[in-house]
Amino acid sequence: MKKLLIGNAAVARGAYEAGCSVVSSYPGTPSTEITESMVEYKEVNVEWAPNEKVAAEVSIGASMAGARAMSCMKHVGLNVMADPLFTVSYIGVNGGLVFCVADDPGMHSSQNEQDSRHYAKASKVLMVEPSDSSECKEYTKLAFKLSEDFDTPVILRLSTRVSHSQSLVEISDKEDYKLKDYEKNIAKNVMMPGNAIKRHVVVEKRHLDEVEFANTTSLNKVEKNGKKIGVITAGISYVYSKEALGNNVDFLKLGVVNPLPTTLITDFCKNYDKVYVIEELDPFIEEHVRALGVTNVIGKEAFTLLGEYTPKMIKKVVLGVDGPEFNEIAETIPMRPPVMCPGCSHRGTFYVLKKLGLTVSGAIGCYTLGAVAK
C-alpha cells in the first residue's frame, strides 16, 4: 500500500517499521514533525527532552541497553548535542542509533545556515541523505541496520524542502526486532583515555570500511543518459537538478554523504568534459571531489553559497537556458509573521521586560521573538 506523506512523517514511519522503540527529541523546525508523527505509533516510547544534548543521551542510553533508538533536532540543535555525538562515535552502539538532523537552507526559521555535513565528517559518523519522502522512509530503516552493521551512530540529514514536501511512500509491516542483551563492557562504553585510545583505532578502521561501502552501495548511483556533462548531487539538490536538466546530463546521485566515495567519484568524472557539483550551502562534496585530483569540476564558482537553489538557477548555470521559475497565484495572500503560540508562558515575561524598559540577552529559538514583542 502506498500513502502520501511529508518527509518528516515518512522518517517516523521508517523508524517504526525498523522496530525503533525509543525516540527522544527537542523540537525545532524543520525537524519537529518527525517526533510528533512518532506519537501515532503507540508501541514506541516518545518524549520531548529539555534540550538536544539530553535527548541524544537518552537515545544513546537506550541503544546501549539494546533498543533501536532515535533522536531528532534541527541543525543548530546539533551544536547542543555535539559533545555526546563525538563520544558515542568512539563507543559505537548496541541497538541501532539514528540521529535525524534537519538543515534549513534559506533560514526559514533559523538564525544561521550551517551545514551539518561538517559534523558528520568531524565526528567520523556515517551520514545518509534522502531526496524525497519515499527515500526518507527507506533510508531511515536502512540507517538502523547500518548502525548495527558498522557499530556506529548514523546521522540522517534532512533539509526544509525534503522534510516538508510530500510524495508517495510504500507502507510495509513493522520488523520483528528483538531487544539485544546488555553486556557490561567498560573498555567499549567508558571513554577514559586508556580506552578511548584503543577505540580510536576501531573508528579509523570503521571509516575505511564505510568508504568501501560508499563506493559500492546502491544508495550512491550513476544515471547514464549518454551525455558529455556529468552532475554530482544529493538530497533536494538532486530533485531540483532532475527537474531542471532532465536527460541532458548524466548524474551521480549520492545517498551516502559521509564518508563520500572515492573510486566511484573518480571513475564517474573521467567520462565527462565538465562535472558540476550541485549542492546547497557549503562546498562539502565539491572539496572532496577536488581533493581526489579531479580538475574538470565546476562548483561554487558558478553557484551561490547562500540560501536555497531553484531549478531555474541550475538550468541557467548548466545549460545556459532561462525558463519560468514558478506559476504565480493572482490572489493576495496575507502575511503570517512568526508569533508566540497562544498561551505561551513567555508572553507575560516579555510584557514585563518591555514595560520596565530593560535590555536583556536570551537564548535561541522562540525567545528571539522577544525582540519584536509589542
Side-chain angles (χ1 to χ4, degrees):
M1 180 184 74
K2 289 191 175 182
K3 189 174 181 181
L4 193 64
L5 295 176
I6 68 165
N8 282 346
V11 171
R13 180 69 198 186
Y16 167 74
E17 290 183 9
C20 175
S21 57
V22 175
V23 177
S24 182
S25 306
Y26 187 79
T29 304
S31 73
T32 307
E33 298 91 349
I34 302 172
T35 307
E36 289 178 336
S37 298
M38 287 303 313
V39 178
E40 299 175 17
Y41 306 109
K42 303 303 181 186
E43 306 98 312
V44 185
N45 295 287
V46 184
E47 67 175 31
W48 289 123
N51 58 55
E52 293 87 354
K53 181 177 183 291
V54 173
E57 288 170 343
V58 168
S59 62
I60 290 168
S63 168
M64 283 185 172
R68 284 186 167 178
M70 184 169 74
S71 186
C72 311
M73 67 213 70
K74 66 185 295 174
H75 60 293
V76 290
L78 184 51
N79 300 330
V80 181
M81 61 85 74
D83 178 32
L85 170 66
F86 279 73
T87 301
V88 76
S89 174
Y90 273 41
I91 292 172
V93 304
N94 187 14
L97 176 62
V98 175
F99 297 124
C100 301
V101 180
D103 286 0
D104 190 19
M107 293 180 283
H108 297 279
S109 60
S110 306
Q111 67 269 34
N112 68 29
E113 283 187 297
Q114 76 183 50
D115 192 324
S116 295
R117 294 176 295 179
H118 296 294
Y119 270 107
K121 184 176 181 180
S123 62
K124 302 190 176 181
V125 166
L126 190 67
M127 175 182 272
V128 295
E129 182 173 1
S131 62
D132 60 22
S133 295
S134 179
E135 288 186 352
C136 280
K137 194 208 84 164
E138 296 303 330
Y139 282 26
T140 304
K141 288 180 70 173
L142 182 59
F144 284 100
K145 182 177 184 303
L146 292 175
S147 175
E148 293 169 0
D149 288 347
F150 287 101
D151 191 18
T152 180
V154 175
I155 299 176
L156 180 79
R157 184 191 188 226
L158 302 161
S159 64
T160 299
R161 299 301 173 183
V162 172
S163 288
H164 291 161
S165 297
Q166 295 185 83
S167 60
L168 287 172
V169 174
E170 185 73 38
I171 303 300
S172 304
D173 293 333
K174 177 185 175 183
E175 288 183 27
D176 185 21
Y177 178 82
K178 302 244 187 296
L179 290 178
K180 296 185 176 183
D181 292 334
Y182 169 75
E183 295 182 10
K184 186 175 181 179
N185 187 343
I186 293 175
K188 184 176 190 293
N189 294 333
V190 181
M191 286 302 98
M192 61 182 71
N195 294 338
I197 289 170
K198 296 173 184 176
R199 289 301 298 176
H200 191 189
V201 176
V202 174
V203 169
E204 296 302 335
K205 171 62 169 60
R206 181 185 76 200
H207 176 77
L208 295 177
D209 293 339
E210 290 170 349
V211 171
E212 185 55 35
F213 168 74
N215 280 321
T216 57
T217 177
S218 60
L219 295 179
N220 297 330
K221 59 183 181 181
V222 175
E223 299 176 12
K224 286 190 172 292
N225 295 307
K227 304 301 179 181
K228 289 295 185 182
I229 298 175
V231 168
I232 304 175
T233 187
I236 194 62
S237 296
Y238 167 75
V239 177
Y240 295 156
S241 299
K242 286 287 285 187
E243 181 178 339
L245 307 175
N247 296 326
N248 293 300
V249 302
D250 289 1
F251 289 94
L252 172 54
K253 177 190 180 295
L254 299 175
V256 178
V257 292
N258 191 70
L260 288 162
T262 52
T263 55
L264 179 64
I265 287 176
T266 52
D267 290 346
F268 176 81
C269 293
K270 290 175 185 175
N271 300 315
Y272 306 100
D273 300 328
K274 295 179 181 178
V275 176
Y276 289 88
V277 177
I278 303 177
E279 55 184 331
E280 291 178 335
L281 302 180
D282 293 340
F284 185 84
I285 299 172
E286 177 191 344
E287 289 177 353
H288 176 77
V289 175
R290 292 188 188 278
L292 293 174
V294 178
T295 58
N296 59 334
V297 60
I298 301 169
K300 292 300 179 181
E301 71 268 35
F303 292 97
T304 179
L305 287 160
L306 310 176
E308 295 182 287
Y309 288 5
T310 66
K312 180 179 180 180
M313 175 200 301
I314 293 169
K315 193 170 187 178
K316 178 68 174 176
V317 170
V318 178
L319 301 180
V321 177
D322 262 323
E325 187 166 359
F326 48 77
N327 296 320
E328 291 192 20
I329 299 174
E331 301 295 326
T332 301
I333 300 175
M335 294 293 292
R336 187 175 181 270
V339 296
M340 290 181 175
C341 299
C344 174
S345 59
H346 297 294
R347 285 174 175 262
T349 302
F350 285 126
Y351 172 79
V352 172
L353 293 174
K354 185 171 183 66
K355 189 172 182 180
L356 294 174
L358 299 177
T359 300
V360 299
S361 59
I364 60 175
C366 297
Y367 307 117
T368 56
L369 295 175
V372 293
K374 301 298 183 186

